[in-house]
Amino acid sequence: MNDLRKLPVAPDALSSSVSAGNTLSQYNFNSLIDVLRDGIEFGPDYNNPFKQKFIPNEPTQSLIARYSSPDHQIIEETLLQLRRAKYLSRLGSRSQLPSDVNHAWSQLSRFKMTPWQVIQPPAVRVKTDAQQRELTNELSLLSIRKTPSQSQQKWRHRSSDQTSQNLVVIHTAERLELRHPERILRIEGRQAAVAYPEFGLVEINDWGDQARQSIDQELPWLPHRSNAELAEMFTISQEQDDAKSRTLKLIQPHTPHAFVLATFDKTSGLPTAWQAYVRNKLSYQLTMIPQRVTAHLPAQPNAAQTAPIEQWELVNSSATAAIEPLRSGWNSWFIADETETGSPLDQICDIIQQGKPASARKLLRDLLTQHPDQAFLHFLSAWLDELHVRPDKLPTPEQLASLKVVVQSGRGGLMRLIDGHRFVSLGAGGVLKLFAKQPIETMPASLAWHLSDQALQAGQGELGLKYLNRAVGEAPPAQPDKAASPLILEQSLRRIQLLALQDPDKAVELATALPRDPKSWEWLLLAAESLANAERPEAAARLFDEVINHPSHTPHERSGLLVRKAGSQTDYERWRALIAATEQLPEDEQSTHGYLDTVLEESPDSATLMRLLKTISSRRLSLRLRVFAADHADDETLRLRLVTELAQERWDNELVVSPLWVVRHWLKEPTRIVDYAYSLLRQGYVLDEPTLIEVGHALNAQGRAKEYQRIQSRRLEKNSQPPSDINPNILGGGVGFF
């Protein structure tokens, strides 16, 4: 998400949803919803039980987000990105560069990390005399801005969540380079190299423009851009000029309603302010003092200035700089030069797409003989080996050897891609063995966190806690009455999950201390599931109930939570939760979800069924359960009592159960059958043939054969009129019917 923050929407798209008059028709809710959903789709709550949706509230021109807490954090992050986007100019391609390991894998699995497309440069146009004069005038205005021909600067960037990272930007007359903790961008003319230190991979293509724009987003006041470049990017005019400073107005030709006011000190030539406007409304501002740049959102009227949302601090600067050529200096890195036709990676990808992974595997082996020290190739080789190993077999010796090279390489991104999911032949336990010789005390926190997850998957709680303590330290437990950030909650949950393997009672203690605010609900539920797996169902049920019983849930939400609770319980508690989940739904949906069917399929004993009956408030569900109990009762007395009760039940003057079902349960009670049949006949019901046969057997057993013949002839006289319809929706179908 930090990287996505650097990739704003185009000002055109931004301004299309902001109008001078703020009329309702000009607010585009759908576009905003699409942007927000794109982030949530891969968030931690993709499968959570809450009913997720956005609700446009047109009277207040607002958008209501109904999501659970981890996704709300993603929404907040995305909105922060959109705020920051307001001041940025048009930046061409805005594809996110992979930083998160999972995102990187989504790119890497296609044998290409950098998602940029090659954009053909526009045709060179000869400037008219008027355009040339305008350009000369703009360069004259920009002459106040001092830009050395070469420099190297190190900036420490701190974001609103107080995380910080170092950025090194170097520029010479021929090249430009940005060193980011997760990537290196090196630009030379139209071409750029995008290097990923954690993966040992360098990709080269005609990405010069996109790479420059990516650096623009990291340093939005554009200290790395020359005056000539600014004159090409913007239409520049003078807004204000005095003895100490000059303010210039920077407008992009295609978005005249969005502009920047940049103020430069006449003595130092450095910027002192950088203000972004949309439709003449200040939307974002940078303030500069020597060696520090601070970003603010505009304050509300009569309010104090808002807290900084970003800050850049100059750590050191040098007027001399050097950058190696695009393809030099990448020792032990794999260089994927996409400007060359038929590059090795392209060949491998093509062969795999042709359904010939074995040939791709051979080509990778040949590359490894030429570059045995390149961890990236070793990882791809091991991954391709995995495609040829059945999950029930051990990894091949070659695969293990390649993975050991990756582990020893120190390439953290590749190391964190080794898990029991991608390498099923290894499993989580095999992954832990690969890293067994790596000292935990000096391990990077991100790798230790990854291995704590593998230990959890392998059921090794003690080892997992060692990795976790290395990753996050021995953090104090959360407090129920205080909200916590998603990061703290995630760390607490991991500790609870690992303790559940080692010390379940301690896990219960930590889970009980989790915050109870709505933003923490999902984490509370995950903790409850861990406790249930650790055979602490009572503690798990208490945590579930705290969330389930909150009055803010809709019936559908509560039903989903009850189903989730049922998954963590067994026997009676499980069935009770499933029945409660069914009762939360509207009657026309109760049979479609199948929760009660699940209870019946698991066949509780008669005593348990009777206990469950006492918890049911819905008559429809009670009838279904009583029919099932009668069909499966071991106790004859109980069965006869249930059948007798059900025989008298009516739903809108219709029989709930068929007469045939009743008489077959009374085969040993001919008197009951005869009395029941005469009762139905007196009420005007007509008995069908199978039922009459059973009634005849009962009358014969009583020595009353003539009565049976009279009933039969009476039925024939009425032309075999069918019995009254019995509504199959009364009980939802499936039990006690024709």
Side-chain angles (χ1 to χ4, degrees):
M1 296 303 293
N2 286 336
D3 297 285
L4 186 59
R5 182 181 296 124
K6 308 300 189 301
L7 303 173
V9 296
D12 309 68
L14 173 71
S15 59
S16 67
S17 63
V18 180
S19 64
N22 282 346
T23 58
L24 184 59
S25 62
Q26 293 168 314
Y27 281 82
N28 190 342
F29 285 111
N30 290 335
S31 297
L32 178 58
I33 290 171
D34 289 341
V35 170
L36 296 176
R37 277 184 177 154
D38 284 344
I40 293 172
E41 183 176 1
F42 301 101
D45 287 335
Y46 183 63
N47 292 315
N48 77 34
F50 292 80
K51 187 176 182 181
Q52 304 175 343
K53 61 181 178 179
F54 289 98
I55 306 170
N57 189 345
E58 295 189 347
T60 61
Q61 298 176 349
S62 61
L63 184 66
I64 300 170
R66 181 176 292 166
Y67 279 72
S68 57
S69 56
D71 277 344
H72 270 291
Q73 187 70 18
I74 295 175
I75 293 170
E76 290 175 11
E77 288 274 334
T78 306
L79 291 174
L80 178 60
Q81 299 155 21
L82 295 178
R83 291 189 194 104
R84 187 176 193 270
K86 289 183 179 180
Y87 80 97
L88 290 169
S89 57
R90 187 169 181 264
L91 296 172
S93 172
R94 292 171 177 80
S95 300
Q96 181 182 359
L97 290 173
S99 57
D100 173 77
V101 167
N102 289 326
H103 184 193
W105 174 252
S106 69
Q107 295 293 131
L108 187 59
S109 59
R110 294 190 289 273
F111 292 87
K112 183 177 183 297
M113 287 273 287
T114 309
W116 289 333
Q117 300 296 320
V118 174
I119 300 174
Q120 296 301 321
V124 177
R125 296 181 180 178
V126 178
K127 288 183 171 61
T128 64
D129 290 343
Q131 290 173 329
Q132 189 61 50
R133 285 194 299 272
E134 182 181 354
L135 178 61
T136 301
N137 180 58
E138 290 177 339
L139 289 172
S140 176
L141 291 174
L142 284 167
S143 62
I144 187 69
R145 176 178 181 261
K146 298 298 186 291
T147 55
S149 59
Q150 62 179 20
S151 69
Q152 176 169 325
Q153 294 180 327
K154 180 178 181 180
W155 293 87
R156 181 175 294 113
H157 173 247
R158 181 175 288 105
S159 59
S160 59
D161 60 3
Q162 298 305 307
T163 59
S164 63
Q165 59 186 12
N166 291 328
L167 304 171
V168 177
V169 60
I170 311 168
H171 78 88
T172 65
E174 300 85 12
R175 302 180 189 92
L176 175 64
E177 180 171 299
L178 175 75
R179 297 175 185 171
H180 184 280
E182 294 158 348
R183 72 188 68 90
I184 299 170
L185 300 179
R186 186 179 296 175
I187 308 164
E188 186 175 324
R190 286 198 60 231
Q191 294 188 346
V194 184
Y196 300 92
E198 290 218 313
F199 295 87
L201 172 67
V202 183
E203 293 183 320
I204 299 175
N205 209 330
D206 294 336
W207 293 324
D209 288 341
Q210 292 100 314
R212 288 185 181 89
Q213 292 157 7
S214 184
I215 299 176
D216 293 347
Q217 297 153 23
E218 298 287 354
L219 303 171
W221 65 100
L222 312 178
H224 51 285
R225 292 281 196 172
S226 67
N227 288 344
E229 287 179 293
L230 290 188
E232 289 289 342
M233 294 166 62
F234 300 97
T235 297
I236 299 171
S237 60
Q238 182 171 291
E239 186 77 7
Q240 178 269 335
D241 188 70
D242 58 32
K244 294 184 178 180
S245 65
R246 177 183 297 171
T247 299
L248 301 178
K249 188 175 187 178
L250 282 59
I251 307 175
Q252 285 199 316
H254 66 288
T255 54
H257 54 271
F259 60 89
V260 171
L261 293 182
T263 302
F264 298 91
D265 180 79
K266 286 189 173 181
T267 302
S268 66
L270 297 176
T272 58
W274 190 275
Q275 298 175 311
Y277 288 80
V278 176
R279 300 191 186 279
N280 294 316
K281 182 179 180 181
L282 180 65
S283 60
Y284 189 90
Q285 57 187 344
L286 301 173
T287 55
M288 289 89 162
I289 60 175
Q291 301 185 339
R292 182 174 295 172
V293 178
T294 304
H296 293 268
L297 293 175
Q300 297 297 321
N302 303 320
Q305 186 179 35
T306 59
I309 60 172
E310 291 183 275
Q311 194 171 77
W312 295 261
E313 183 178 354
L314 185 63
V315 178
N316 56 56
S317 177
S318 172
T320 59
I323 304 174
E324 293 197 62
L326 212 61
R327 293 164 176 80
S328 300
W330 306 111
N331 299 326
S332 75
W333 297 59
F334 181 77
I335 300 177
D337 193 341
E338 298 186 27
T339 63
E340 300 176 357
T341 56
S343 67
L345 277 186
D346 285 340
Q347 294 179 42
I348 292 170
C349 188
D350 291 342
I351 292 171
I352 289 177
Q353 289 177 346
Q354 295 168 14
K356 301 176 181 178
S359 300
R361 193 179 177 205
K362 181 180 182 303
L363 184 55
L364 259 177
R365 294 289 182 195
D366 294 341
L367 282 173
L368 278 171
T369 60
Q370 304 171 37
H371 309 286
D373 60 339
Q374 291 185 358
F376 178 75
L377 289 179
H378 278 283
F379 178 84
L380 288 186
S381 176
W383 180 59
L384 279 176
D385 282 349
E386 185 68 20
L387 301 182
H388 297 275
V389 177
R390 285 171 45 197
D392 58 344
K393 294 216 177 159
L394 296 175
T396 64
E398 295 86 355
Q399 185 184 26
L400 282 175
S402 286
L403 289 175
K404 287 178 181 177
V405 172
V406 174
V407 170
Q408 294 165 5
S409 71
R411 302 287 186 189
L414 293 176
M415 294 160 74
R416 296 195 300 278
L417 285 174
I418 302 175
D419 60 30
H421 172 68
R422 296 181 180 92
F423 293 91
V424 179
S425 61
L426 276 178
V431 172
L432 294 175
K433 289 180 181 178
L434 270 179
F435 287 90
K437 294 184 179 180
Q438 298 290 312
I440 297 178
E441 297 78 13
T442 58
M443 186 174 288
S446 57
L447 179 59
W449 175 261
H450 169 69
L451 292 177
S452 73
D453 178 61
Q454 295 304 293
L456 177 62
Q457 305 306 320
Q460 298 186 32
E462 183 178 1
L463 179 60
L465 287 168
K466 290 180 181 178
Y467 283 125
L468 182 64
N469 289 336
R470 170 60 189 167
V472 303
E474 298 193 31
Q479 299 180 39
D481 57 342
K482 292 187 178 180
S485 70
L487 178 61
I488 297 298
L489 289 168
E490 185 177 13
Q491 293 171 358
S492 299
L493 175 64
R494 180 67 55 82
R495 192 174 300 279
I496 290 166
Q497 291 171 326
L498 290 167
L499 278 170
L501 300 172
Q502 284 292 115
D503 187 350
D505 292 332
K506 182 65 174 176
V508 170
E509 180 183 335
L510 289 183
T512 304
L514 286 174
R516 297 303 198 267
D517 62 296
K519 291 184 177 181
S520 305
W521 280 345
E522 178 61 21
W523 307 100
L524 206 63
L525 297 176
L526 290 169
E529 290 168 343
S530 296
L531 297 183
N533 292 334
E535 298 184 355
R536 295 296 185 274
E538 297 86 0
R542 287 195 297 271
L543 295 182
F544 267 110
D545 290 343
E546 286 193 50
V547 177
I548 291 169
N549 295 331
H550 196 277
S552 65
H553 298 310
T554 66
H556 279 89
E557 290 171 351
R558 188 168 286 107
S559 177
L561 290 169
L562 284 162
V563 171
R564 191 166 173 182
K565 176 186 177 182
S568 71
Q569 302 293 305
T570 59
D571 299 336
Y572 175 76
E573 294 299 331
R574 166 179 167 77
W575 299 323
R576 188 174 67 167
L578 287 172
I579 289 173
T582 306
E583 290 192 296
Q584 289 294 320
L585 300 171
E587 284 199 345
D588 59 346
E589 295 183 26
Q590 289 182 353
S591 61
T592 60
H593 288 265
Y595 303 149
L596 185 61
D597 291 334
T598 300
V599 175
L600 303 182
E601 287 168 6
E602 294 177 7
S603 299
D605 58 53
S606 297
T608 303
L609 284 172
M610 300 313 293
R611 285 182 66 197
L612 291 171
L613 273 169
K614 295 178 181 179
T615 69
I616 297 177
S617 57
S618 165
R619 184 185 174 214
R620 186 189 301 270
L621 296 182
S622 174
L623 289 171
R624 284 200 63 190
L625 207 60
R626 287 157 64 192
V627 169
F628 183 85
D631 281 333
H632 297 82
D634 298 325
D635 186 322
E636 183 70 12
T637 303
L638 174 62
R639 183 176 64 82
L640 290 175
R641 177 171 66 83
L642 290 172
V643 173
T644 301
E645 292 173 356
L646 289 166
Q648 307 303 318
E649 291 281 0
R650 301 291 186 273
W651 191 290
D652 292 338
N653 296 320
E654 295 183 15
L655 298 175
V656 169
V657 291
S658 72
L660 181 62
W661 180 84
V662 174
V663 299
R664 284 181 173 172
H665 273 288
W666 283 343
L667 291 180
K668 297 180 181 180
E669 302 283 340
T671 302
R672 286 179 183 266
I673 293 176
V674 172
D675 292 344
Y676 174 64
Y678 275 111
S679 173
L680 291 179
L681 290 170
R682 284 194 295 269
Q683 295 174 50
Y685 290 99
V686 178
L687 304 181
D688 65 340
E689 186 68 29
T691 305
L692 282 173
I693 291 173
E694 297 298 340
V695 173
H697 292 322
L699 287 169
N700 284 330
Q702 292 181 312
R704 300 162 66 182
K706 290 182 179 181
E707 290 184 43
Y708 168 66
Q709 293 172 1
R710 187 168 63 251
I711 294 173
Q712 180 71 0
S713 62
R714 178 184 172 187
R715 178 176 182 274
L716 295 174
E717 288 172 1
K718 291 194 175 185
N719 197 23
S720 301
Q721 180 183 353
S724 302
D725 290 338
I726 295 179
N727 185 354
N729 293 322
I730 292 176
L731 302 184
V735 289
F737 294 98
F738 295 105

